[in-house]
Amino acid sequence: MPISKRTEQLKAKTVSKACQNGKYLGDVKISMERAKLWTESYRESEGSPEIVRRAMALSHMLRNMKIYIQPDEIIVGNNTPSPKDLYLSPEISITSVQEAIDEGQISSEEMPLAKEIMDFWRGKGLRERVENEFSAEERRILDSSAVVTSLTYKDGAQHCVPNWEYVYGEGVLNIRSTIEKELSSLNTRIESNTGAGLQELIKERHLFKSMLITLDALLAWTDRYAELAREMASGEKKPQRKSELETIAKTCATTLRKPPETFQEVIQGYFFIHLILHYIDRAGFGSLARVDQIWWPAFKKDCLERKTITRDWAQEILECLFVKMLDLGYWFPKPRRLHFEGNSLLQTLTLGGVDSNGDDACNELTILILDSVKSIRTNQPTFNFRYHPRVMDAALEKAIEVVRTGMGMPAFLNDRIMIESLLDQGVPLKEARNWAVVGCVSASPVNLQITTKRLAQSCIIAKCFEFALNDGTCMMSDQPLSVKTGDPKKFTYEDLEEAFRKQVEYAFQFGARVRNVTRTVEIDYLQRPLASALHRSPLTVRKDVSEYEDFPNLWINFFGIVDVVDSLKFIKYLV
């Protein structure tokens, strides 16, 4: 089916959040709403445990932020007061607030509020806390991003996804009931405790209490959309739109509470959680979802068995979801805007592959999603196709058909190679087969907590070589930004290789320290109680998802290796 009139009009109304040369191309503006509500909550929660403060801030946001439903929408949800808005996260860094002021994005009326918020958060944000662990010279190297680009501590962007099979399989009400029972049992243990292990038990109580606060806030937020849709339906004159609004109201009132019954429910629930974890609670990259698998049961029941919806209507629902995802964005600090030009928010969805038994996992929904990608033609979300020799012919042909349109997706990934890579990392076979892309092209098991804390570190190998040729001095800024490794004019070829090795070693050690310090600060000040509630394992290990990982998390990007190899060969044989 070609793009529907509805989704074509909704797509035309989206506001680009793409960047070029560090500037936003669309007609965007800053909203102070999130910064204001977050700060209000933190003022009121002074003295409470940090994880409880995080939960209370998210709750305050979801219960008080402006919500709206745009004309003709059937998938709803927003993170800012209007589609043009971008929010500020002062708990990450007040630098982004100052940049918004410097770039004229804060109105004169809101300037006093912006400065008040900056004063409150000064020295308390992620960036400031991380930088305090480094010397002045090291902070200069960090700010340059010349050789190591570990941007998470500057903008807070993190890969954070729930265990979708757990969320859809149990429903929030059952999850909440389980946590509540654990908390009740924990309270009994604390009351009878004589001191041994009491500190850990109290920490667990704070975690479970925070998880309940955020789950209640999630359901209150979806209820607000249900109530708004009911109000709009009561005043709607057009019968079709009135019926759509009534369906939206019913969907929002039921979605996520129990295992989904309808296709619209499963898609709406997906967008609600995606919106909170990636755009309201904290900036997040990498959706990490095998959507043709997690959405399949509801689609199969609703469209193929009960036939309560048509294939065309299911495609329109998907198109509406993709338009909503296209319309999302962040106000990033300038280093991130320069690093991530264009509109790549890494909202990455995965199709195809094999199931837990190693059999082909493609289905009718795989093909429908690809049809939707072809018809809506958006650059967000991005799609990946897990190829293996026994893949369904119709799905493979459809994926190739979509690529042929010139969209540049889906990307084809070798299923066997990715599974073997995960097995080499110690991931069990069943979990390794159930992988999806997180971030750019990295494979990760979809239901393991590892995915909530993947922080990419990039090392510019070519810059290390430049430093080796310039005794640690940057040729662009003429400032020392690395270790001294000697005067290259006195080098033999072997000396140059050794200097290069030392520069790479320093870059890796420094980058690892930045990454690990960032994680340490996150554990203490930026917990994820809602993400913890939406995973199984926190109930077992009794920790917030920011504190642990199920498997080693190796993610280092290398840039310029081939250039360095060519340069070394040229120097060795021709100089």
Side-chain angles (χ1 to χ4, degrees):
M1 181 185 85
I3 186 172
S4 73
K5 184 178 180 180
R6 177 203 307 274
T7 48
E8 188 173 27
Q9 291 174 342
L10 289 172
K11 181 183 175 184
K13 292 177 183 177
T14 59
V15 180
S16 172
K17 279 75 176 185
C19 297
Q20 186 176 25
N21 297 324
K23 296 182 179 179
Y24 287 93
L25 298 178
D27 182 24
V28 300
K29 61 186 182 70
I30 292 293
S31 166
M32 294 298 296
E33 180 186 64
R34 185 189 180 281
K36 177 177 179 290
L37 291 173
W38 218 261
T39 305
E40 283 176 359
S41 177
Y42 264 75
R43 280 201 173 106
E44 293 171 3
S45 66
E46 193 75 45
S48 297
E50 285 296 327
I51 191 169
V52 175
R53 300 184 80 187
R54 287 282 300 171
M56 292 174 68
L58 180 59
S59 177
H60 187 59
M61 180 75 184
L62 296 178
R63 294 174 187 275
N64 293 282
M65 64 182 287
K66 178 183 176 181
I67 64 168
Y68 55 86
I69 296 174
Q70 298 188 84
D72 294 324
E73 281 190 331
I74 52 176
I75 298 299
V76 303
N78 60 278
N79 64 317
T80 55
S82 85
K84 290 185 176 183
D85 292 336
L86 299 171
Y87 67 66
L88 297 169
S89 300
E91 80 279 12
I92 301 300
S93 174
I94 60 173
T95 301
S96 59
V97 183
Q98 185 61 57
E99 286 179 348
I101 293 173
D102 295 342
E103 295 178 30
Q105 290 286 348
I106 306 293
S107 67
S108 57
E109 293 82 6
E110 291 187 312
M111 192 68 73
L113 174 62
K115 291 183 176 179
E116 178 186 331
I117 287 171
M118 287 180 67
D119 287 341
F120 177 83
W121 288 100
R122 198 174 308 278
K124 301 174 184 175
L126 172 65
R127 179 171 183 170
E128 290 80 7
R129 291 182 189 274
V130 170
E131 289 179 342
N132 284 342
E133 301 300 321
F134 293 87
S135 68
E137 182 180 352
E138 289 173 328
R139 288 198 293 272
R140 185 163 51 80
I141 296 172
L142 277 173
D143 286 339
S144 73
S145 296
V147 65
V148 173
T149 57
S150 185
L151 294 173
T152 296
Y153 82 96
K154 292 182 179 179
D155 56 37
Q158 182 191 53
H159 299 286
C160 183
V161 291
N163 179 328
W164 284 111
E165 291 179 13
Y166 180 49
V167 174
Y168 285 142
E170 295 290 329
V172 168
L173 293 179
N174 279 339
I175 292 172
R176 192 194 185 287
S177 177
T178 300
I179 296 171
E180 199 166 33
K181 290 175 184 176
E182 289 286 344
L183 180 59
S184 177
S185 174
L186 189 59
N187 286 335
T188 301
R189 291 171 63 194
I190 290 173
E191 289 168 7
S192 61
N193 189 279
T194 58
L198 182 60
Q199 184 177 358
E200 285 302 312
L201 292 178
I202 291 175
K203 186 178 177 182
E204 291 173 18
R205 178 161 67 182
H206 295 158
L207 169 63
F208 294 152
K209 178 181 177 182
S210 299
M211 291 160 73
L212 292 176
I213 290 172
T214 55
L215 288 178
D216 288 344
L218 166 63
L219 297 183
W221 190 58
T222 63
D223 277 341
R224 292 182 65 201
Y225 282 98
E227 181 59 32
L228 176 59
R230 279 191 289 269
E231 290 177 7
M232 293 174 68
S234 66
E236 179 59 54
K237 303 299 182 184
K238 297 179 180 178
Q240 180 181 340
R241 185 56 182 164
K242 184 181 183 70
S243 175
E244 289 173 354
L245 287 166
E246 289 171 346
T247 300
I248 291 171
K250 182 180 178 181
T251 300
C252 292
T254 56
T255 189
L256 297 175
R257 283 159 176 75
K258 297 179 180 179
E261 285 292 321
T262 69
F263 189 59
Q264 187 164 338
E265 241 185 271
V266 83
I267 300 301
Q268 182 64 70
Y270 175 86
F271 186 65
F272 274 151
I273 290 181
H274 177 73
L275 199 55
I276 295 175
L277 292 184
H278 289 77
Y279 294 89
I280 297 176
D281 185 26
R282 183 174 169 184
F285 284 163
S287 299
L288 193 86
R290 298 183 69 186
V291 289
D292 58 344
Q293 306 304 305
I294 62 173
W295 298 342
W296 168 246
F299 173 78
K300 181 182 178 184
K301 185 189 298 183
D302 212 10
C303 187
L304 303 182
E305 295 175 352
R306 296 187 307 209
K307 300 187 185 300
T308 48
I309 62 169
T310 64
R311 189 182 189 278
D312 286 352
W313 180 244
Q315 179 174 328
E316 194 161 3
I317 290 173
L318 289 171
E319 289 176 356
C320 286
L321 170 67
F322 301 157
V323 168
K324 292 293 287 186
M325 295 175 77
L326 175 67
D327 216 15
L328 296 172
Y330 309 106
W331 175 261
F332 276 134
K334 203 155 191 178
R336 173 71 77 171
R337 283 182 261 155
L338 291 168
H339 187 72
F340 267 84
E341 292 209 327
N343 193 31
S344 179
L345 298 176
L346 302 181
Q347 299 180 98
T348 311
L349 305 179
T350 301
L351 305 172
V354 297
D355 61 20
S356 60
N357 297 316
D359 299 322
D360 179 44
C362 291
N363 52 50
E364 289 299 317
L365 183 56
T366 312
I367 297 171
L368 178 63
I369 292 171
L370 288 167
D371 277 333
S372 305
V373 173
K374 180 183 177 183
S375 63
I376 196 65
R377 292 186 67 84
T378 59
N379 62 7
Q380 286 294 312
T382 55
F383 285 85
N384 298 276
F385 189 86
R386 289 175 49 178
Y387 171 79
H388 61 91
R390 292 173 288 107
V391 70
M392 179 194 291
D393 288 343
L396 177 60
E397 289 167 5
K398 183 62 68 174
I400 294 171
E401 183 182 313
V402 175
V403 170
R404 194 179 289 124
T405 65
M407 293 180 64
M409 58 181 171
F412 283 80
L413 299 173
N414 188 313
D415 211 25
R416 179 182 62 81
I417 295 295
M418 291 301 194
I419 291 171
E420 289 177 356
S421 172
L422 291 170
L423 291 173
D424 287 343
Q425 296 177 52
V427 177
L429 179 59
K430 182 178 178 181
E431 296 289 353
R433 283 172 171 166
N434 193 19
W435 68 267
V437 169
V438 58
C440 305
V441 294
S442 182
S444 184
V446 299
N447 289 330
L448 299 182
Q449 181 274 332
I450 183 176
T451 56
T452 61
K453 52 184 295 194
R454 292 176 73 93
L455 306 179
Q457 171 196 326
S458 299
C459 182
I460 306 172
I461 302 296
K463 196 69 177 181
C464 294
F465 187 64
E466 177 191 318
F467 286 151
L469 291 170
N470 292 275
D471 198 17
T473 297
C474 174
M475 294 177 67
M476 295 179 67
S477 65
D478 199 31
Q479 291 193 17
L481 295 177
S482 188
V483 292
K484 287 187 169 295
T485 46
D487 183 356
K489 294 177 183 178
K490 300 177 182 179
F491 280 174
T492 63
Y493 176 77
E494 288 72 21
D495 292 335
L496 175 59
E497 274 196 352
E498 178 61 17
F500 173 59
R501 186 194 65 77
K502 289 180 179 179
Q503 292 292 346
V504 171
E505 182 180 44
Y506 174 77
F508 271 70
Q509 289 178 348
F510 184 66
R513 188 151 62 93
V514 174
R515 197 160 169 261
N516 291 336
V517 168
T518 301
R519 281 185 166 175
T520 300
V521 174
E522 287 180 325
I523 289 170
D524 291 337
Y525 298 102
L526 288 170
Q527 301 92 339
R528 305 299 299 263
L530 180 58
S532 296
L534 301 179
H535 274 270
R536 291 184 189 273
S537 55
L539 289 172
T540 303
V541 299
R542 326 290 278 191
K543 293 180 180 179
D544 179 78
V545 291
S546 66
E547 289 194 54
Y548 70 98
E549 57 190 22
D550 295 314
F551 293 96
N553 173 13
L554 305 174
W555 193 341
I556 302 175
N557 302 317
F558 307 103
F559 299 108
I561 294 178
V562 174
D563 296 317
V564 172
V565 171
D566 289 343
S567 298
L568 285 170
K569 185 174 182 179
F570 182 88
I571 291 171
K572 183 173 183 178
Y573 293 105
L574 298 178
V575 174

